[in-house]
Amino acid sequence: MTVRQVQSGDLPRLLVGAGPRDRFHHVERAGMQERGEATYLVAWDGDLPCGRGTMFHRSKYERVRDLLGDFPELNGLEAVPRGRGIGTRLVAAAEARATTLGAARIGLAVEHGNVDARRLYERLGYVEWEHGDVVDRWFERDGSGTAVREHADPCSYLVKNLTGR
Ligand SMILES: CC(C)(COP(=O)(O)OP(=O)(O)OC[C@H]1O[C@@H](n2cnc3c(N)ncnc32)[C@H](O)[C@@H]1OP(=O)(O)O)[C@@H](O)C(=O)NCCC(=O)NCCS
C-alpha cells in the first residue's frame, strides 16, 4: 500500500467505478489541491484506491482561525478496509506534508459519536483544544452533485504539535 498526493493522471483512475458521492469528493479535493488550498492524499493498493484524506492548508472553521491562526487541518479521512493501518498511514502522510509546509501544528474535527476515529487520533498524539466544539457544516449531494441538504454537526476539535518531531 502506498500513500501519496494526488497527481494529474490519478483522477481518471479514481473516478472509475466510483459512486456519485465519491466522484464529487475526488473532483472537489483534487481541485482544491490544484488551487493550492489543500493537499489531497490517496492510499493505493496497487491500482485501486483504498483510502483518502485531505489536508486543508488552513482550517475550514472560522473560530479556529480566529483563535489559533492559520495551520493545516485534516479532513475527510476514510479507509476501506478498516483496521489495516491505512488511516494511520494517511494521518502520518498529512503530518509529514504539514511539516514540509513549515506548520507547527495540525488540527482536525471529529464528531462526538465517532469513538473509533477519536481513539485512533488520540493514540497518534492528538489532544482536544481548550475552546469547546466546532460546528462542521457540509452539504449532502444527490447523484448529480447538487446540494440537497445542509448538515451542521457539532464536533470536538483536536490538535497535534508537530515541533520536536
Ligand atoms: C477513521 C478511519 C479513517 C481509520 O482508518 P483505518 O484504516 O481503519 O485506521 P487504522 O487501521 O490505521 O487504525 C484503526 C485501528 O486498527 C488498528 N490497526 C492498524 N493496523 C492494523 C493491522 N495491521 N492489523 C490489525 N489492526 C490494525 C489500529 O491500531 C487501530 O486500532 P483501534 O481501533 O484500537 O484504535 C476509518 O475507520 C474510516 O474510514 N472511518 C469512517 C470515516 C470516518 O469516520 N472518518 C473519520 C472522520 S473524523
Side-chain angles (χ1 to χ4, degrees):
M1 191 251 298
T2 55
V3 173
R4 57 179 165 79
Q5 285 182 52
V6 95
Q7 294 164 6
S8 50
D10 288 339
L11 201 52
R13 275 198 294 160
L14 286 170
L15 297 181
V16 172
R21 173 181 162 269
D22 285 340
R23 291 176 73 85
F24 183 86
H25 189 88
H26 293 316
V27 170
E28 179 190 57
R29 302 305 164 105
M32 289 183 78
Q33 178 169 290
E34 214 169 293
R35 293 190 299 275
E37 299 165 9
T39 300
Y40 187 31
L41 296 160
V42 177
W44 297 91
D45 180 4
D47 263 358
L48 295 175
C50 58
R52 67 192 186 209
T54 306
M55 194 191 77
F56 297 151
H57 292 167
R58 66 199 286 256
S59 177
K60 72 179 268 191
Y61 304 103
E62 195 178 347
R63 252 188 93 230
V64 173
R65 296 196 304 271
D66 284 351
L67 287 165
L68 297 185
D70 283 349
F71 56 88
E73 182 174 273
L74 189 55
N75 179 276
L77 188 71
E78 213 167 287
V80 178
R82 296 182 190 172
R84 302 259 180 91
I86 299 168
T88 300
R89 290 274 300 276
L90 283 161
V91 173
E95 292 172 3
R97 173 74 176 139
T99 301
T100 300
L101 293 176
R105 62 158 76 99
I106 184 167
L108 58 87
V110 59
E111 274 185 62
H112 294 152
N114 199 346
V115 290
D116 288 342
R118 184 170 178 137
R119 189 173 60 240
L120 172 67
Y121 298 141
E122 286 180 340
R123 178 167 325 139
L124 295 175
Y126 288 75
V127 292
E128 190 161 347
W129 76 341
E130 297 168 350
H131 309 285
D133 286 355
V134 294
V135 179
D136 187 18
R137 295 184 188 282
W138 58 280
F139 289 100
E140 188 178 324
R141 295 175 187 277
D142 66 14
S144 67
T146 306
V148 289
R149 192 169 147 221
E150 187 178 13
H151 293 256
D153 300 325
C155 291
S156 303
Y157 197 78
L158 311 186
V159 291
K160 179 173 177 176
N161 191 337
L162 298 175
T163 55
R165 279 155 56 92

